Amino acid sequence: MYNKAFFALIVIILFISSLFQNYVAHNSSFSVWFLLQIVVFVSVSGYGMLITRSRIRHGVRLPKIEIKKIIVFGIKSSIVMGIYFAFQSLILGYVSNLLDFPPFDFKDMLLELPETLNMLYTHNPVDTIIFVVVGTIIFYTTTFFMEIALAKLADTKNLSSAFDLKSIKRSIDVIGWRNYAKEYTMIIFVIVALSYLISFDSAFLILDSIVGMILSFLIFVTQYLGIGAVYCKIKDLESEMS
């Protein structure tokens, strides 16, 4: 489905980037390392937006690496994610602190399931139920809005469209909140499954690094393809309704 040679090229680029980041982390000041992390995040999220944009347009191949578009999309998507994550963290942090729980993070809770179960077991049952139910609702709702916001940004290139909450809600209503929840839950479980695979070690350090990089890239692609796939379905449904 995707160009294998291009996929291999991207994995190699990411592998070299990872080695460079490790070198900087151990041989440079914190400010240099922090600046590098910003550059990497902007670059990765920018290319992720190109993947989302391609999927919205029914693309079946990884998009070309276009530096200008990656930088522009990367900066805009970083702003969008920063604001939505800040809002989500603020609400979830308040709920968690109120019930005397650590910060709610759905993906981390699944990745660290034994610790999560132990944490839930040691708390008051009523508080635990409220924490899980309310935390999950807040997490899904805010994430739904952020994902569609990113999809609209990828589709229109317009930063303001990512904060048009009425338009975002209408888009979610088109696909249905329950259907969206199913779609997003599947994406989460794929990401969690791939993340578990990364934790397995072999006797060969280089092989672990390569496999880990490939799996990390698949996690990254799954996330942004998922955003594009959901919004592509929404646009198709809107076309049928008009």
Side-chain angles (χ1 to χ4, degrees), residues 11 20-22 27 65 78 102 135 145 182 190 194 204 209 240:
V11 171
F20 182 65
Q21 289 179 68
N22 289 333
N27 297 278
I65 298 177
S78 296
F145 271 80
K182 290 179 181 178
V190 170
L194 292 172
F204 304 97
S209 299
E240 293 175 5

Side-chain angles (χ1 to χ4, degrees), residues 3-239:
N3 187 301
K4 295 179 181 178
F6 187 54
F7 175 81
L9 173 63
I10 292 178
V11 171
I12 292 171
I13 292 173
L14 291 174
F15 181 68
I16 294 173
S17 173
S18 177
L19 293 178
F20 182 65
Q21 289 179 68
N22 289 333
Y23 174 81
V24 171
H26 291 90
N27 297 278
S28 300
S29 64
F30 174 79
S31 58
V32 174
W33 174 84
F34 184 72
L35 180 61
L36 178 62
Q37 295 307 303
I38 293 176
V39 172
V40 170
F41 182 80
V42 169
S43 301
V44 170
S45 59
Y47 187 67
M49 287 279 89
L50 291 184
I51 292 175
T52 297
R53 183 178 175 83
S54 174
R55 182 63 187 87
I56 291 172
R57 286 158 172 67
H58 301 277
V60 295
R61 289 183 178 273
L62 290 172
K64 295 185 296 182
I65 298 177
E66 300 179 74
I67 303 299
K68 183 178 179 180
K69 288 184 179 180
I70 288 175
I71 293 173
V72 173
F73 267 133
I75 293 173
K76 289 182 178 180
S77 61
S78 296
I79 293 172
V80 172
M81 285 187 280
I83 292 175
Y84 275 92
F85 274 132
F87 179 71
Q88 182 188 71
S89 298
L90 184 65
I91 299 177
L92 289 175
Y94 175 77
V95 172
S96 299
N97 185 62
L98 191 66
L99 298 171
D100 194 29
F101 277 91
F104 186 99
D105 189 302
F106 195 71
K107 292 178 184 176
D108 285 347
M109 289 172 67
L110 289 177
L111 285 171
E112 301 172 5
L113 194 56
E115 292 83 356
T116 299
L117 293 175
N118 180 65
M119 175 192 68
L120 297 177
Y121 178 76
T122 56
H123 278 74
N124 179 290
V126 175
D127 289 347
T128 298
I129 293 173
I130 295 174
F131 172 73
V132 172
V133 173
V134 175
T136 301
I137 291 172
I138 294 172
F139 173 81
Y140 267 83
T141 303
T142 53
T143 301
F144 286 176
F145 271 80
M146 184 182 72
E147 301 281 277
I148 298 300
L150 290 171
K152 286 184 176 293
L153 172 62
D155 189 36
T156 65
K157 300 182 182 179
N158 189 343
L159 187 60
S160 62
S161 67
F163 299 103
D164 187 344
L165 301 183
K166 288 184 178 180
S167 175
I168 292 173
K169 182 184 180 301
R170 284 196 298 268
S171 293
I172 299 174
D173 288 340
V174 169
I175 193 173
W177 291 79
R178 182 179 297 179
N179 289 330
Y180 194 176
K182 290 179 181 178
E183 297 270 358
Y184 188 69
T185 300
M186 289 179 61
I187 294 172
I188 288 179
F189 277 111
V190 170
I191 291 174
V192 169
L194 292 172
S195 298
Y196 270 120
L197 291 177
I198 292 176
S199 65
F200 291 105
D201 297 324
S202 69
F204 304 97
L205 184 59
I206 295 179
L207 179 62
D208 283 342
S209 299
I210 295 174
V211 171
M213 189 58 61
I214 292 173
L215 291 174
S216 296
F217 182 67
L218 289 176
I219 291 173
F220 158 74
V221 170
T222 298
Q223 180 178 354
Y224 284 97
L225 273 180
I227 295 172
V230 170
Y231 196 65
C232 179
K233 186 176 294 185
I234 289 172
K235 292 195 69 175
D236 288 345
L237 289 171
E238 287 176 336
S239 297

